[in-house]
Amino acid sequence: MLSHNLGYPRVGSHRELKKADEQFWAGTIGKDALQKVARQIRHQNWETQREAGIELIPSNDFSLYDHVLDTSLMVGAIPERYHQLLDGKSNKELDLYFAMARGIQVGNLDIKAMEMTKWFDTNYHYLVPEFVKNQKFSRYSDKVLLEFEDALQKGILTKPVLLGPVTYLLLGKEKDEGFVKTDLIDNLLPVYISVLKELASRGADWVQLDEPGLVLDLNDNERLAFQSAYQQIREAVPKIRILVTAYFGALEDNLAVATSLPVDALHIDITRGPEGLAAILEDRAFVESTKKLSLGVVDGRNIWKNDYKKSLETIEKAANILGTDRLMIAPSCSLLHSPHDLDLEKDEAVLTPEIKNWMAFAKQKLGEVAALSKLTGTDWCSDEAYLANQEAIASRHVSTLIHKPTVKERAARITEKDFERLNAFPFRQKIQLEKLKLPLFPSTTIGSFPQTDDIRQLRARLKKGTLTLEDYEKRIREEIISSLRWQEDLGIDVLVHGEFERNDMVEYFGEKLSGFVFTQNGWVQSYGSRCVKPPVIYGDVERPEPMTVKWSAFAQANSEKLVKGMLTGPVTILQWSFVRDDQPRKDTTFQIALAIRDEVIDLEKAGIKVIQIDEPAIREGLPLRKRAWGNYVKWAVDAFRLSAAGVADRTQIHTHMCYSEFNDIIDSIAAMDADVITIETSRSQMELLDAFARFNYPNEIGPGVYDIHSPRVPTVDEMILLLEKALKVIPARNLWVNPDCGLKTRKWPETEAALRNMISAANLLRESVEVTS
Ligand code: GLN
Ligand code: ZN
């Protein structure tokens, strides 16, 4: 039974690519040095996979920035604004590539980057292909051929990986009116066919075409595109063996389309859609064909060890029907979404041996794939690797580190009442108006202030032990005080303490809650050179002690104005972590919600009257299939409400979200029942507010009046204009004035100038509205 891999992390085990990319952009290294690092990573990856015993190793899974961008270059989908960079200078290909990825601003050249968005439901971001009417495609980059040849020279006959033509189109955006992107398939296919022919002529045996589009809701047109594409490919390139991969979910209603494609093998993701295997094994046409089935049994998106018993039983179920010759074993998806190598986690104080023994990163997952393929059909029960695996699984299962009966019991006692504030919003609003005495159009910020090097150093030195806790806290107190004075000076109505003590909005809470661990090197690519190191939720979550009360109470004690308490919400903490896979995500989220609820109540007790619970990740948690949305949204909203509802009517609960494409889920946003929601709308010139207006959103809203992602200082007039626009759809008493996100990535001078203008805008608007009413 063939073991294979779908893709390997590209940034290098020590983030070598990140460093090289950034040096290249800064001009400190040249093109050759960058390519050298890239080649070393590829070679290392192939070597690692060969050593792990993977039989069919991928190539072209590497990328200097993004594999969707690589595909756009392969097929020559280069938007017109970059054509001036083409100019026949082939050695400028890298400049073109990075200009498309990041934009370019040199001399009088100023070209915007391509748009970036999330790759399915992962935290990886890709560059969105841009299509125009009658879009032409022609082969431009030969990267796939070069990498195939490179591996061949090292004696490895790889399986080149291409983003499949239909998914590539599905991921793109129509920039003109009057056409549908999947109709471009006939223009696109000749490029794919010519690449495949050339791969075949150079000796490629297998090629992998990634079509995760097959796990999405598709219309008839899109399904037809799959059928006609693969029909044409098959006819034009009969020799090469084609593996189509469908990962991140089950095929469900696309099963018949997928199994009928004239290809040699189909890969399915068993970890995300276990029922999908049964469906395929019942599909007569597939069973009676000679096609191979690749079983994605090892989770490519998590850090837990595979349970060999479960996997082997699954594989053998399939083998009984198809025979082992027709099976292939693989990770569920590309290992791009896993950190590199658990062996690099050497500090036992950070990751204890007991917990480490439950984990597997990309390199370890390769070993699992190879082991499963070797064990299938043998008398595995007495195999050493099998026994060690089962021992680790059993130890995790019963560990007292994971299971806290008191936490589970408390979660089991949650009732409907716990999701409800005491009274409905209109009643609360009246009380809050009385108690908080806020003016019309109250102003606030989203939480963080510029994180200067100085502040970062403080936290780093505390961690290293070169600064005492006492000195550290003294410095943080000073920062808080000076930011309070500064906000009072500007005339902001609801102040924040500035989040100087926080490195990251999830990590800060993860470090204070039980049930979380952190890694030293568990980096995962988020986009381009940017990597994140998500916390790991391994056990029942509990709050051993208050997490933010000390700082918030200190800040409130030092100002006559209201100071907001600042928390990260349960869904965002879940969404931005690696989550335990031994209980439903909902259960883990509710445990976090209970911990946040306790914090909210403690903040109220400490005299904090306004508390913000950030949920920027609530939307990105939406499942890929629409029919699964209802269930997710229900528990996600419930988790937020659970965290917020323990306070009195007079306490004002805020929430904040960065991406405000809420059209489809606006009713759920309203159901969160936050007294105030602050959102990002400035980039779209308040267009996104329409959803709130159409829905008649009942509670208070602060539509961000300026874009904090840019250092540009907005003028007073601009912001008044935006506020007036907002006033057309939001009642005046419900409108807040604030920037569209936290300010931690900005510098102080521009922050001060922008906020000063923002306050002037609020004041002017207040005057004009008060005069006319
Ligand atoms: N309170 C956080 C901050 O201001 C919110 C960050 C976010 O929305 N991503 O930094
Ligand atoms: Zn935000």
Side-chain angles (χ1 to χ4, degrees):
M1 201 171 34
L2 200 59
S3 63
H4 73 121
N5 183 25
L6 270 50
Y8 204 66
R10 323 146 166 161
V11 284
S13 55
H14 293 88
R15 287 183 294 157
E16 296 88 337
L17 179 66
K18 172 194 177 64
K19 289 162 201 159
D21 267 346
E22 288 173 359
Q23 283 171 334
F24 179 75
W25 300 334
T28 51
I29 63 170
K31 167 175 143 240
D32 294 340
L34 173 62
Q35 293 293 15
K36 187 167 163 214
V37 172
R39 204 172 322 113
Q40 275 165 352
I41 294 173
R42 289 197 297 264
H43 289 183
Q44 183 59 56
N45 286 356
W46 288 326
E47 211 40 66
T48 305
Q49 294 175 82
R50 178 149 71 177
E51 273 168 21
I54 297 295
E55 291 162 295
L56 197 48
I57 294 171
S59 62
N60 200 40
D61 54 332
F62 177 81
S63 178
L64 283 172
Y65 199 97
D66 166 43
H67 60 277
V68 183
L69 176 61
D70 294 340
T71 312
S72 288
L73 279 171
M74 178 181 90
V75 302
I78 300 164
E80 205 181 292
R81 63 183 181 281
Y82 304 104
H83 285 190
Q84 50 187 308
L85 299 171
L86 281 168
D87 276 351
K89 296 179 215 135
S90 60
N91 63 336
K92 290 284 175 203
E93 191 175 319
L94 266 187
D95 295 339
L96 169 71
Y97 182 77
F98 286 126
M100 289 167 77
R102 312 174 62 235
I104 186 166
Q105 220 171 7
V106 275
N108 50 12
L109 202 61
D110 185 359
I111 317 177
K112 273 204 321 210
M114 296 178 80
E115 196 185 317
M116 197 161 63
T117 199
K118 278 186 186 260
W119 171 247
F120 296 83
D121 59 350
T122 73
N123 279 329
Y124 176 80
H125 301 71
Y126 71 92
L127 290 156
V128 182
E130 297 177 16
F131 303 131
V132 292
K133 200 170 173 181
N134 301 320
Q135 172 84 40
K136 298 274 177 292
F137 299 95
S138 63
R139 220 166 99 190
Y140 181 73
S141 154
D142 280 337
K143 174 178 177 289
V144 55
L145 302 173
L146 299 176
E147 289 186 17
F148 175 74
E149 289 288 348
D150 189 20
L152 214 49
Q153 293 204 340
K154 308 244 350 159
I156 303 180
L157 179 65
T158 53
K159 168 190 63 172
V161 181
L162 295 174
L163 178 54
V166 184
T167 299
Y168 172 69
L169 291 178
L170 290 174
L171 292 174
K173 208 169 176 172
E174 293 121 349
K175 288 288 172 181
D176 289 342
E177 311 257 303
F179 76 105
V180 178
K181 56 195 178 186
T182 37
D183 292 345
L184 299 172
I185 192 77
D186 290 336
N187 291 359
L188 176 63
L189 277 178
V191 182
Y192 270 82
I193 287 171
S194 95
V195 170
L196 292 172
K197 276 189 173 158
E198 190 147 345
L199 281 169
S201 77
R202 292 176 189 219
D205 176 14
W206 279 100
V207 60
Q208 170 182 324
L209 290 166
D210 285 334
E211 294 283 13
L214 282 167
V215 308
L216 301 178
D217 293 323
L218 298 176
N219 61 35
D220 289 347
N221 225 355
E222 293 162 344
R223 292 206 181 107
L224 273 178
F226 274 104
Q227 268 155 344
S228 107
Y230 284 88
Q231 204 67 49
Q232 291 184 53
I233 289 176
R234 180 78 302 164
E235 278 161 23
V237 202
K239 284 223 185 71
I240 208 158
R241 290 201 279 180
I242 296 171
L243 162 72
V244 163
T245 64
Y247 44 76
F248 296 151
L251 290 163
E252 299 183 22
D253 50 350
N254 300 325
L255 180 94
V257 179
T259 54
S260 68
L261 297 178
V263 295
D264 301 274
L266 179 66
H267 170 90
I268 57 170
D269 181 341
I270 311 245
T271 64
R272 295 218 137 199
E275 61 292 341
L277 175 60
I280 285 209
L281 295 178
E282 278 163 23
D283 186 275
R284 280 265 308 273
F286 186 82
V287 172
E288 284 166 12
S289 76
T290 56
K291 285 176 201 162
K292 288 184 190 280
L293 183 63
S294 164
L295 300 173
V297 283
V298 171
D299 194 339
R301 290 180 58 179
N302 218 328
I303 40 72
W304 304 112
K305 252 185 196 162
N306 185 267
D307 180 344
Y308 283 5
K309 181 161 190 282
K310 251 173 80 188
S311 295
L312 287 164
E313 283 168 1
T314 305
I315 296 167
E316 295 198 339
K317 208 185 298 159
N320 284 340
I321 296 176
L322 301 175
T324 45
D325 282 353
R326 280 181 63 192
L327 292 183
M328 299 163 85
I329 301 296
S332 60
C333 60
S334 165
L335 295 174
L336 167 68
H337 311 289
S338 299
H340 245 271
D341 183 1
L342 188 63
D343 295 341
L344 298 177
E345 301 298 317
K346 295 202 192 311
D347 189 343
E348 297 191 353
V350 179
L351 193 61
T352 62
E354 182 176 0
I355 297 178
K356 186 174 166 185
N357 188 38
W358 303 335
M359 294 181 168
F361 291 1
K363 186 172 150 203
Q364 289 68 36
K365 286 172 193 289
L366 296 174
E368 296 184 335
V369 168
L372 289 171
S373 133
K374 213 177 80 211
L375 287 174
T376 302
T378 69
D379 183 14
W380 26 272
C381 296
S382 53
D383 178 86
E384 227 170 88
Y386 174 81
L387 290 172
N389 171 271
Q390 287 302 292
E391 205 177 295
I393 299 292
S395 110
R396 181 173 164 216
H397 210 65
V398 297
S399 172
T400 50
L401 287 178
I402 293 185
H403 302 286
K404 300 215 164 113
T406 49
V407 175
K408 292 197 200 323
E409 280 154 28
R410 185 175 174 204
R413 282 197 312 271
I414 297 171
T415 64
E416 282 301 310
K417 202 173 94 271
D418 298 320
F419 301 123
E420 300 286 340
R421 297 284 296 268
L422 293 170
N423 284 288
F425 174 73
F427 186 84
R428 300 197 305 266
Q429 190 178 32
K430 257 187 230 129
I431 297 191
Q432 289 167 16
L433 204 62
E434 236 167 68
K435 300 268 182 203
L436 303 179
K437 299 194 174 56
L438 286 167
L440 195 59
F441 312 132
S443 56
T444 191
T445 62
I446 305 305
S448 58
F449 281 131
Q451 294 261 331
T452 54
D453 280 343
D454 215 33
I455 301 281
R456 283 200 194 101
Q457 291 266 325
L458 280 183
R459 288 194 309 258
R461 281 168 56 205
L462 174 72
K463 236 181 186 154
K464 265 201 223 122
T466 55
L467 184 71
T468 65
L469 184 63
E470 213 181 354
D471 288 341
Y472 168 79
E473 295 195 336
K474 181 164 162 278
R475 285 293 314 276
I476 297 287
R477 282 196 297 270
E478 286 165 8
E479 290 295 335
I480 292 177
I481 298 265
S482 81
S483 94
L484 292 171
R485 292 296 86 81
W486 181 82
Q487 296 172 78
E488 288 162 356
D489 243 33
L490 286 177
I492 296 179
D493 298 308
V494 177
L495 315 190
V496 295
H497 77 289
E499 301 183 27
F500 302 109
E501 77 288 9
R502 302 185 191 176
N503 31 7
D504 171 273
M505 64 188 288
V506 170
E507 194 175 354
Y508 180 80
F509 291 92
E511 281 176 346
K512 302 212 175 298
L513 291 166
S514 68
F516 284 74
V517 277
F518 293 83
T519 63
Q520 290 176 289
N521 289 293
W523 296 101
V524 180
Q525 189 176 22
S526 168
Y527 63 87
S529 69
R530 207 183 131 74
C531 302
V532 292
K533 193 152 64 71
V536 176
I537 307 177
Y538 68 90
D540 287 338
V541 175
E542 202 173 18
R543 187 191 70 141
E545 55 184 21
M547 306 180 281
T548 64
V549 175
K550 190 167 91 180
W551 295 123
S552 284
F554 171 79
Q556 185 60 85
N558 280 284
S559 180
E560 298 287 315
K561 292 224 168 163
L562 295 167
V563 183
K564 259 196 288 195
M566 193 59 61
L567 304 171
T568 302
V571 182
T572 299
I573 292 180
L574 182 96
Q575 205 56 39
W576 292 352
S577 301
F578 282 120
V579 183
R580 57 193 288 194
D581 57 356
D582 59 340
Q583 67 180 24
R585 287 168 77 83
K586 171 189 167 191
D587 295 0
T588 304
T589 317
F590 275 33
Q591 291 181 358
I592 305 170
L594 286 172
I596 301 291
R597 179 186 180 95
D598 293 346
E599 187 73 11
V600 171
I601 293 171
D602 280 348
L603 283 169
E604 182 185 62
K605 276 192 201 135
I608 310 300
K609 299 186 170 64
V610 182
I611 300 167
Q612 177 171 315
I613 308 170
D614 290 324
E615 281 290 22
I618 216 162
R619 193 184 189 288
E620 69 187 49
L622 277 179
L624 293 173
R625 298 281 198 155
K626 243 191 173 134
R627 62 178 155 279
W629 283 18
N631 177 42
Y632 161 76
V633 160
K634 168 88 175 86
W635 66 251
V637 169
D638 277 350
F640 177 84
R641 295 169 62 115
L642 183 60
S643 68
V647 287
D649 289 335
R650 63 168 192 281
T651 298
Q652 188 171 63
I653 297 289
H654 288 220
T655 190
H656 164 71
M657 293 175 198
C658 312
Y659 305 100
S660 308
E661 281 179 36
F662 295 138
N663 282 312
D664 330 329
I665 54 161
I666 185 75
D667 50 338
S668 309
I669 303 295
M672 289 168 72
D673 198 25
D675 298 303
V676 182
I677 181 172
T678 54
I679 53 173
E680 178 259 294
T681 42
S682 61
R683 264 176 291 181
S684 72
Q685 300 296 306
M686 298 280 158
E687 253 169 46
L688 296 167
L689 264 190
D690 291 350
F692 287 80
R694 251 180 280 123
F695 181 77
N696 250 328
Y697 182 80
N699 302 11
E700 297 176 26
I701 314 184
V705 291
Y706 81 89
D707 175 11
I708 63 92
H709 303 91
S710 152
R712 186 173 167 275
V713 175
T715 65
V716 179
D717 287 349
E718 265 171 59
M719 288 190 275
I720 290 192
L721 225 63
L722 288 181
L723 285 166
E724 280 171 346
K725 241 174 153 170
L727 268 180
K728 293 211 170 86
V729 292
I730 299 171
R733 71 180 146 69
N734 286 355
L735 183 63
W736 283 67
V737 178
N738 47 264
D740 69 358
C741 196
L743 292 158
K744 75 169 168 214
T745 54
R746 294 271 60 87
K747 302 254 183 303
W748 275 110
E750 74 229 21
T751 299
E752 168 157 9
L755 289 180
R756 211 173 272 292
N757 287 353
M758 184 186 91
I759 297 300
S760 303
N763 288 339
L764 286 169
L765 191 72
R766 222 170 269 156
E767 281 164 27
S768 76
V769 170
E770 272 160 10
V771 167
T772 50
S773 59

